[in-house]
Amino acid sequence: MSILLISSSASLHSHLADALGRMMESAVNLAATVAASRWQHGDVLWLDADNQPHALIERLCRGEFGAARIIVMSGVPDDASAVRWLGAGAAGYVHAFSAPETLRQTLAVVESGGVWIGVGLMQQLCARFGQIGAHANEPHYPDCLTMREKEVVGQLRLGKSNKQIAKDLDITERTVKAHLSAIFGKLQVPDRVQLLLKLSVDFKQ
């Protein structure tokens, strides 16, 4: 497993190395790096989106250059960019100069197979999908979902936990997880973050 930061910012290299307290590789130019590399499962790449070609970052997030997990960083992060990078397949989006603890938590989540998404963005995604449904008598859901699965998605878009969904629908948490697994499979997404991204973009009225 390797950790690599691709950025032309010397201060960012120093900040990330100090925050993680771990040995890491570094590179300045993304184009030159992808031409000479093939990443494996377990590798983590931190990408400074402020000074690298965005089209190439998207290709990397989609896995065209190997199986590394990608964390996109920016000195001026915004929700629209977060939706773009996470929607492309990035495993995380974070302020480049976040507090060391935040950067360590981000790496731990990504290394464990999760997706790092800030609380603010998660709330925005839930609100965005909620607003989409609010402008119609009946929220628009993919036709491939069953009625019960649509109910689960309806609860999910309100930002509810599995436990709260189970309580509100009078089912067990295990059943909620089973429905979510079925939904993820039908819509070809790995988790609820990608589900919210997909629904907020693809199923607008």
Side-chain angles (χ1 to χ4, degrees), residues 1-202:
M1 182 191 75
S2 65
I3 299 176
L4 171 67
L5 169 64
I6 301 177
S7 174
S8 61
S9 170
S11 60
L12 180 54
H13 280 279
S14 177
H15 178 68
L16 191 63
D18 290 344
L20 300 182
R22 295 169 58 172
M23 293 294 296
M24 59 183 295
E25 302 174 46
S26 62
V28 173
N29 184 278
L30 177 58
T33 304
V34 297
S37 305
R38 190 69 183 179
W39 291 286
Q40 307 295 320
H41 285 287
D43 293 340
V44 177
L45 275 63
W46 298 75
L47 293 179
D48 180 2
D50 295 341
N51 55 35
Q52 303 296 332
H54 286 188
L56 196 55
I57 294 177
E58 285 190 347
R59 293 178 62 193
L60 190 59
C61 289
R62 290 197 296 265
E64 293 187 22
F65 302 104
R69 308 212 72 204
I70 312 302
I71 301 172
V72 180
M73 313 176 76
S74 174
V76 285
D78 61 84
D79 290 340
S81 294
V83 170
R84 175 184 182 179
W85 299 127
L86 293 168
Y93 180 74
V94 65
H95 193 296
F97 292 94
S98 294
E101 179 59 28
T102 297
L103 295 175
R104 289 192 290 270
Q105 289 177 356
T106 301
L107 180 59
V109 168
V110 171
E111 285 186 323
S112 67
V115 174
W116 178 268
I117 179 170
V119 173
L121 178 59
M122 177 60 81
Q123 292 174 337
Q124 183 213 28
L125 289 173
C126 292
R128 178 185 296 185
F129 189 54
Q131 289 168 1
I132 293 169
H135 294 295
N137 292 330
E138 186 69 26
H140 179 71
Y141 298 111
D143 293 334
C144 62
L145 301 182
T146 66
M147 287 302 299
R148 178 59 94 178
E149 288 167 353
K150 291 177 182 179
E151 290 177 343
V152 171
V153 173
Q155 297 290 311
L156 186 65
R157 72 181 174 85
L158 299 176
K160 295 183 179 181
S161 66
N162 288 359
K163 183 176 182 179
Q164 187 61 52
I165 293 173
K167 179 180 179 181
D168 290 350
L169 296 183
D170 194 26
I171 55 179
T172 67
E173 286 188 60
R174 178 177 295 182
T175 301
V176 173
K177 292 178 181 178
H179 284 311
L180 287 175
S181 294
I183 293 165
F184 297 158
K186 289 180 179 181
L187 299 185
Q188 298 183 323
V189 295
D191 52 48
R192 66 178 61 208
V193 173
Q194 294 297 326
L195 174 64
L196 285 170
L197 286 167
K198 186 176 184 67
L199 291 172
S200 67
V201 173
D202 292 352

